[in-house]
């Protein structure tokens, strides 16, 4: 077995699906213009992928271990590549959303399988730690390359190119899998918890649908309130099913340990904030600042770079200062950055104001992810490390899914209400309604009716400001919870062998979480 080639294969597969998490964001303004997609449509384009990924990642990891990791990786890559290729051919936003869901299902199969393949191939602790570190770096690289590569493609081609670009990468990864990845499986893996899977997908899907559709129906409408009630009942049913199951998909009793639950909550909040920010900032840069797609991608890099730096620093600081201090401080930095974003104006200077806020945001998020992941891993014995990794993946995707849904829907409601207030009586009702639901439509209208420009800027900044303030306050609340609930212990990782392995695994996951 050529382990170097095997590692390269898993890294390429992980890079591909994480590239997709950010490459699409810079294409959102293009989708709004060319497919007449409103804000709600754009939310589904992003969250169709995130939702399927988050809902299925726990179950897919178990299935690949049970039935074979090599065929699972090939199947996942084939589904991902095929869906991406078809997505490049469609001409309706509804079809694109459906294909994004298929891509998310495939990604949920690919991501945990790559980790299982590495764990099976690298059995010696230090070698495994090194391999996981390289894997984590490839994941982070995919996330960082997404906005830039997407911007570069859109500079010369249509939005279809961001989906075409993923196809050859996936095909190459399939060929490498067939050539270099040996078959492995674990027949001892318990059977799939099908009732838990169905109910968890229904709960998360209902919650996400309710949040994204709330601006259309009204946050206090019967439809929205019923959606929240159904999601709550399904969540309670999931807990009851998992507690009664002989082999639960998720051991919910783990959350009774505050080290585990507070750490998982920290990861969820961190990616809730980050994904919501990226959804809005790409539109701010392109619609209000008139930056190109490439210019937008390059201008997002300070976040990715600072996350990478702080993820390494967080892993080094937590043993010396304690998880409580590092995560609590990181959450405070993250919240402060969003409160700062809530104060910016349309003409804010990028270099002197936006970059420092992005760096503060990235540093805060990096300080959260590695120590929080280590806290999750420390609760579990080494034999159950896979559970910790799966929970870390699931909370990351859950946070991202809800971040896009909540922040995007809150923005949509605030933007629409303020735009109607600004333009009432100045546009006919049909045009005003179309502008209320779509920043892209308003931007195109502003090119024909200059008076609309000022109203669009006021409405957009109102939604961005108040949405960012809500996220900032949530992060500050998360900081308080971290200071109260997370362990304050310091330890010597060289003296505790199992924590070395757990920390390395956590660091790799955190590097992947730099999305």
């Amino acid at each position: 077995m050529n382990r170097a080639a095997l590692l390269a294969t898993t890294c390429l597969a992980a890079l591909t699906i994480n590239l997709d998490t950010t490459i699409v964001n810079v294409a959102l303004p293009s989708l709004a213009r060319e497919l007449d997609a409103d804000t709600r449509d754009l939310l589904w384009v992003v969250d169709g992928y995130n939702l399927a990924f988050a809902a299925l990642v726990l179950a897919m990891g178990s299935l690949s271990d049970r039935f074979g990791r090599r065929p699972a990786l090939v199947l996942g890559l084939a589904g991902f590549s095929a869906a991406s290729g078809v997505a490049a051919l469609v001409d309706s936003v509804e079809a694109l959303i459906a294909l994004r869901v298929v891509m998310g299902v495939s990604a949920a199969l690919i991501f945990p399988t790559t980790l299982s393949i590495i764990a099976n191939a690298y059995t010696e602790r230090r070698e495994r730690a090194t391999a996981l570190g390289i894997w984590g770096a490839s994941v982070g690289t995919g996330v960082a390359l997404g906005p830039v590569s997407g911007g570069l493609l859109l500079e010369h081609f249509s939005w279809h190119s961001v989906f075409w670009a993923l196809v050859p990468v996936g095909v190459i990864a399939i060929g490498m899998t067939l050539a270099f990845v040996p078959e492995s499986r674990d027949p001892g893996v318990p059977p799939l918890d099908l009732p838990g899977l169905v109910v968890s997908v229904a709960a998360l899907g209902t919650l996400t649908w309710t949040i994204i559709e709330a601006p259309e129906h009204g946050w206090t409408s019967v439809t929205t309130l019923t959606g929240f009630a159904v999601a709550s009942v399904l969540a309670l049913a999931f807990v009851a099913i998992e507690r009664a199951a002989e082999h639960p998909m998720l051991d919910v009793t783990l959350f009774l340990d505050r080290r585990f639950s507070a750490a998982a909550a920290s990861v969820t909040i961190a990616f809730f904030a980050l994904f919501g920010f990226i959804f809005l900032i790409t539109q701010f840069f392109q619609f209000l600042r008139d930056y190109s797609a490439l210019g937008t991608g390059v201008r997002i890099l300070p976040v990715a770079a600072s996350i990478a730096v702080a993820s390494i620093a967080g892993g080094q600081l937590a043993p010396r200062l304690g998880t409580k201090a590092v995560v609590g401080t990181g959450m405070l930095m993250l919240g402060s950055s969003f409160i700062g974003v809530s104060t910016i104006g349309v003409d804010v200077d990028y270099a002197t104001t936006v970059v420092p806020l992005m760096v503060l945001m990235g540093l805060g998020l990096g300080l959260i992810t590695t120590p929080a992941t280590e806290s999750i891993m420390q609760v579990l014995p080494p034999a159950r490390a896979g559970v910790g990794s799966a929970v870390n993946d699931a909370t990351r995707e859950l946070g991202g899914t809800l971040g896009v849904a909540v922040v995007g829907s809150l923005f949509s409601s605030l933007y629409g209400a303020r735009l109607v207030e600004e333009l009432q009586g100045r546009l006919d009702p049909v045009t005003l309604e179309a502008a209320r639901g779509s920043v892209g439509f308003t931007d195109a209208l502003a090119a024909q009716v200059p008076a609309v420009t000022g109203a669009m800027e006021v409405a957009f900044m109102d939604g961005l400001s108040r949405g960012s303030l809500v996220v900032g306050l949530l992060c500050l609340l998360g900081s308080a919870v971290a200071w109260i609930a997370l362990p304050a212990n310091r330890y010597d990782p060289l003296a505790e062998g199992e924590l070395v392995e757990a920390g390395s695994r956590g660091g790799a996951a955190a590097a992947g979480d730099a999305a």
Side-chain angles (χ1 to χ4, degrees):
M1 177 175 61
N2 187 335
R3 293 196 301 174
L6 178 147
L7 181 59
T9 302
T10 57
C11 287
L12 180 62
L15 182 147
T16 303
I17 59 174
N18 282 278
L19 185 70
D20 188 64
T21 61
T22 53
I23 194 173
V24 173
N25 278 281
V26 294
L28 294 178
S30 297
L31 294 174
R33 297 186 186 102
E34 297 183 34
L35 295 181
D36 294 324
D38 58 23
T39 300
R40 184 177 51 168
D41 294 328
L42 298 181
L43 286 171
W44 277 118
V45 168
V46 176
D47 258 357
Y49 182 85
N50 292 336
L51 177 60
F53 200 159
L56 298 175
V57 67
L58 284 172
M60 290 299 192
S62 176
L63 286 175
S64 68
D65 285 343
R66 183 177 178 84
F67 295 106
R69 299 174 183 116
R70 184 171 182 256
L73 187 56
V74 170
L75 179 62
L77 287 166
F80 185 88
S81 301
S84 187
V86 177
L89 299 173
V90 302
D91 57 4
S92 75
V93 70
E94 292 80 11
L96 181 59
I97 291 169
L99 288 161
R100 291 286 290 164
V101 173
V102 176
M103 294 172 73
V105 172
S106 301
L109 181 57
I110 294 168
F111 199 56
T113 301
T114 59
L115 272 177
S116 295
I117 290 171
I118 291 173
N120 183 72
Y122 291 85
T123 55
E124 196 275 324
R125 179 184 301 155
R126 293 187 180 277
E127 288 185 342
R128 180 183 293 183
T130 301
L132 288 174
I134 295 171
W135 174 88
S138 71
V139 173
T141 300
V143 169
L145 285 177
V148 178
S149 57
L152 188 61
L153 288 167
L154 291 168
E155 194 82 358
H156 303 285
F157 308 103
S158 72
W159 63 265
H160 304 81
S161 61
V162 302
F163 294 102
W164 278 127
L166 297 170
V167 176
V169 182
V171 171
I172 292 171
I174 291 173
M176 293 177 66
T177 300
L178 294 173
F180 303 121
V181 176
E183 178 54 87
S184 65
R185 66 184 69 200
D186 182 2
V189 172
L192 181 64
D193 173 23
L194 191 58
L197 173 62
V198 172
V199 174
S200 66
V201 171
L204 185 54
T206 301
L207 178 61
T208 304
W209 180 88
T210 301
I211 293 170
I212 290 178
E213 298 295 323
E216 179 71 16
H217 299 291
W219 288 92
T220 58
S221 68
V222 173
T223 300
T224 300
L225 295 178
T226 300
F228 283 129
V230 171
S232 299
V233 170
L234 288 170
L236 292 174
F238 174 73
V239 172
I241 290 170
E242 295 306 278
R243 295 200 68 173
E246 182 180 358
H247 301 293
M249 183 175 71
L250 176 63
D251 183 359
V252 294
T253 61
L254 289 171
F255 289 93
L256 296 175
D257 188 320
R258 66 181 189 177
R259 295 172 298 167
F260 190 94
S261 55
S266 297
V267 173
T268 302
I269 292 172
F271 287 94
F272 176 100
L274 180 65
F275 276 55
F277 172 76
I278 292 177
F279 179 81
L280 292 183
I281 201 66
T282 52
Q283 297 181 73
F284 170 77
F285 281 155
Q286 294 188 55
F287 284 133
L288 270 66
R289 298 299 291 267
D290 292 324
Y291 295 148
S292 67
L294 178 58
T296 296
V298 171
R299 285 175 172 85
I300 295 175
L301 282 178
V303 176
S306 52
I307 288 174
V309 172
S311 293
I312 297 172
Q316 298 296 317
L317 290 173
R320 295 167 174 79
L321 303 178
T323 304
K324 179 195 299 279
V326 178
V327 174
T329 300
M331 199 68 77
L332 178 62
M333 294 169 68
L334 187 61
S336 299
S337 70
F338 273 91
I339 291 175
V341 171
S342 73
T343 66
I344 66 174
V346 175
D347 298 324
V348 62
D349 185 75
Y350 173 77
T352 61
T353 303
V354 177
V355 169
L357 288 173
M358 283 186 170
V359 170
L360 183 64
M361 183 184 301
L363 293 177
L365 196 141
L367 290 179
I368 294 166
T369 51
T370 302
T373 300
E374 287 175 344
S375 185
I376 290 172
M377 304 302 288
Q378 288 176 47
V379 173
L380 302 168
R384 301 189 68 195
V387 174
S389 295
V391 169
N392 185 70
D393 293 340
T395 53
R396 167 186 177 269
E397 294 301 327
L398 174 63
T401 302
L402 295 180
V404 173
V406 173
V407 176
S409 294
L410 180 60
F411 165 83
S412 182
S413 297
L414 295 169
Y415 164 83
R418 187 60 184 270
L419 191 72
V420 169
E421 181 184 317
E422 293 287 324
L423 294 177
Q424 189 74 50
R426 299 167 66 182
L427 296 175
D428 65 86
V430 174
T431 303
L432 183 58
E433 179 64 20
R436 181 185 71 84
S438 172
V439 180
F441 180 89
T442 312
D443 182 61
L445 182 64
Q448 304 171 19
V449 186
V452 172
T453 301
M456 181 184 77
E457 291 178 349
V458 170
F460 192 101
M461 295 311 297
D462 188 51
L464 177 64
S465 174
R466 292 162 69 180
S468 297
L469 182 61
V470 169
V471 175
L473 294 176
L474 175 63
C475 292
L476 295 182
L477 176 62
S479 177
V481 171
W483 280 102
I484 294 171
L486 286 173
N489 60 296
R490 307 169 188 176
Y491 60 89
D492 179 2
L494 296 178
E496 301 190 30
E498 296 303 340
L499 292 184
V500 173
E501 184 175 1
S504 300
R505 194 178 285 116
D513 290 341

